[in-house]
Amino acid sequence: EVQLVESGGGLVQPGGSLRLSCAASGFTFSKSWMSWVRQAPGKGLEWVANIKPDGGEQYYVDSVKGRFTISRDNVKSSLYLQVNSLRAEDTAVYYCARDVVVITAAHYFDSWGQGTLVTVSS
Amino acid sequence: EIVMTQSPATLSVSPGERATLSCRTSQSVNSNLAWYQHKPGQAPRLLIYGASTRATGAPARFSGSGSGTEFTLTISNLQSEDFALYYCQQFHNWPLAFGGGTKVEIK
């Protein structure tokens, strides 16, 4: 059974940083594209970033470019999101998800974690 | 950037009835569309991909249709566990985008 378990969320002041983690099990992590998707309070889902199986390529939504960094450790079957220069609008539940790649650039998500809450407030 | 519009925002349905949810995209995505179910505090769940293919484990009462810019998720014979939020997602272009969601609530 595929399991994705996020951790690392919390309350942080504007301008602060956090490192989110996602522990994966039940599938061959090193062969899977992985994503972070977030949901702000009262809002819909927003794809944030994803990373190629070997970690060699990363893609980001424009609003987080230069502030967030996605990475992975295939030995530990873990996905990470370093979030820096946080803003109030980054407040959200952050989900780890496994990508299904149909063709290049065509991704949807077949497994999700339960999320970790990041609250940016002074 | 493709804009996704779901309607209605809220749908009130009685158990046993049919629910019809709509998703519209600002430009054609062919059949590159997925539907997800999301309950509060839980992980989102893939229901439909490729506009009409049910995901593993998705009950047969969930069906998807459409192509291009107009898509529909139909839930037949609504069960109590189906009351939730539903999102569509296009995977035709970057950035990947979700609709704003439709909440299916008990009438």
Side-chain angles (χ1 to χ4, degrees):
Chain A
E1 179 192 3
V2 173
Q3 282 203 315
L4 299 168
V5 180
E6 302 93 336
S7 61
L11 174 63
V12 61
Q13 292 187 339
S17 299
L18 282 174
R19 189 193 196 204
L20 308 183
S21 299
C22 171
S25 61
F27 65 102
T28 307
F29 180 78
S30 61
K31 294 186 177 179
S32 298
W33 280 80
M34 297 295 297
S35 282
W36 288 98
V37 178
R38 66 183 178 182
Q39 183 176 32
K43 304 287 188 180
L45 298 168
E46 178 185 38
W47 171 79
V48 173
N50 66 2
I51 187 167
K52 198 176 176 182
D54 65 3
E57 294 177 25
Q58 307 89 31
Y59 300 92
Y60 300 90
V61 69
D62 282 351
S63 60
V64 309
K65 283 180 182 175
R67 300 189 300 123
F68 290 13
T69 302
I70 188 172
S71 62
R72 63 192 297 158
D73 183 334
N74 285 343
V75 174
K76 294 183 178 179
S77 294
S78 292
L79 179 72
Y80 306 103
L81 187 68
Q82 179 69 40
V83 295
N84 297 332
S85 303
L86 281 163
R87 307 166 180 168
E89 55 265 35
D90 296 317
T91 294
V93 176
Y94 285 74
Y95 297 96
C96 165
R98 184 176 72 172
D99 292 34
V100 176
V101 181
V102 178
I103 57 172
T104 300
H107 296 219
Y108 61 92
F109 312 105
D110 70 343
S111 299
W112 299 66
Q114 294 199 327
T116 188
L117 175 62
V118 173
T119 303
V120 184
S121 175
S122 55
Chain B
E1 180 173 333
I2 295 175
V3 177
M4 313 284 292
T5 304
Q6 288 188 243
S7 61
T10 303
L11 188 59
S12 298
V13 186
S14 299
E17 292 187 339
R18 171 180 296 187
T20 303
L21 289 66
S22 174
C23 176
R24 180 174 298 175
T25 60
S26 60
Q27 58 186 272
S28 176
V29 299
N30 294 335
S31 294
N32 295 319
L33 190 108
W35 289 94
Y36 302 88
Q37 178 191 67
H38 192 199
K39 298 179 182 179
Q42 297 187 19
R45 174 192 182 188
L46 175 67
L47 292 175
I48 301 285
Y49 61 92
S52 61
T53 303
R54 260 193 310 278
T56 302
R61 61 182 180 273
F62 290 92
S63 63
S65 62
S67 66
T69 63
E70 301 275 349
F71 300 87
T72 300
L73 175 70
T74 301
I75 314 171
S76 303
N77 186 23
L78 265 159
Q79 304 295 300
S80 57
E81 61 265 31
D82 301 335
F83 293 97
L85 275 161
Y86 292 85
Y87 294 96
C88 57
Q89 178 232 328
Q90 68 83 15
F91 51 94
H92 187 71
N93 275 346
W94 293 104
L96 306 173
F98 293 87
T102 291
K103 181 181 180 182
V104 177
E105 64 175 25
I106 300 175
K107 186 174 182 181

